[in-house]
Every structure is written in structure tokens, then in C-alpha cells.
Amino acid sequence: LEATEQDGKTWLKVRLPSWFSHGMSSGWVNAERVKVEVNPWRVEVSRATGTLKIIHDGTVVTTASVGTGTDSTPTPAGLHATYDHWRSDEAVLGDWTVSLTTHSPQVPEFGGRQAVVAIHGWHASGGSAGSVSHGCIRVANDSLMRTIALRLPMGTPVQVT
């Protein structure tokens, strides 16, 4: 997010996962302890149109219809990033889940655990398009979710508008 020099050291301000940072969206790390790389990937999600775009080097690779949060549990707008992915063990989540570095203030807990906003599959009937979720981004296409989970590097920017 930014860099500064202090006492002869370079410090980088980085985005933090909301579950890890106790609500802080960013923090400072010593530049000597991180590897900075250019990520050619980006994800854009439009809540208004219910679409997700995957972009590589400025070119749209794919576009899909997605479900996003309701009026009472909206998908948080802004710039986020991917930070974790796993095979889902709940059929309703589809095969893959990718956590984002944000949380929904309207949904602090889900299923008895601290809630995080994620991009995840959707195998249940209905509910894969429009304003339908508790703040997550639902993708009904398993092949696309596999791409998001396995091909996009952790730290991929996700812009939600």
C-alpha cells in the first residue's frame, strides 16, 4: 500500500486478513522480511450487475454471473485481496473457497465461528445470482472456482464495487 524509511530501514504497509488483524485493515512489515512481486492478476466484482471478472495483464480472461450480499448483509465494497484457499467440505459451498482480507460488520460470526468474506462455490439450488448471500461472493461454476483457488496467487487484488 505504501513504503517509508525509518532508522535506516524500509517499512512496507500491507493489507492484513481481517480475522488475523483484529479489525485492522493494514499493518507495517520490515521490507527485508518480505518478497515483493508484481501480480498480473486482478478480480473485479460488481454488486450492481452481479458479475465477476478475472483480469490478467489488463485483459479480461473471463466474466461470470455471481451472487453477492443482500441489502442487510452487503458484500463489503473496496479493495481487498485473496489470502487463503481450501477445498470446501460443505456441499453448499461448492468445491472451493477463497477467503478475502475483509469481513462484514453485519455478520461477525457464521456457523459459530468468526466470519470472513470469501469467494466460494455454490451447489445448492437457487441463490447463485443477485443479492442472495451473507456478504460472500457465490460462484456456481466449479471450473471457474478451481481457477480462482488454484491459479490466482494469494494476494490477488479483488476490487468490489
Side-chain angles (χ1 to χ4, degrees), residues 39-154:
N39 182 346
W41 295 96
R42 180 175 184 86
V43 176
E44 293 180 357
V45 177
S46 169
R47 298 177 301 177
T49 61
T51 56
L52 176 143
K53 292 180 186 176
I54 297 180
I55 300 164
H56 183 262
D57 281 333
T59 301
V60 176
V61 175
T62 191
T63 301
S65 294
V66 295
T68 58
T70 66
D71 288 339
S72 62
T73 58
T75 302
L79 180 62
H80 315 294
T82 61
Y83 78 85
D84 192 11
H85 68 270
W86 71 90
R87 289 290 305 230
S88 302
D89 56 4
E90 297 181 37
V92 69
L93 295 178
D95 293 334
W96 293 96
T97 298
V98 176
S99 301
L100 301 180
T101 55
T102 191
H103 70 285
S104 169
Q106 289 82 11
V107 187
E109 289 186 4
F110 194 82
R113 297 182 292 204
Q114 182 179 11
V116 297
V117 175
I119 303 171
H120 64 75
W122 187 254
H123 282 178
S125 62
S128 62
S131 299
V132 293
S133 78
H134 289 94
C136 287
I137 301 158
R138 294 180 182 174
V139 178
N141 180 325
D142 284 335
S143 176
L144 177 57
M145 269 313 304
R146 181 177 172 82
T147 297
I148 294 169
L150 299 180
R151 191 159 183 202
L152 302 185
M154 292 300 103

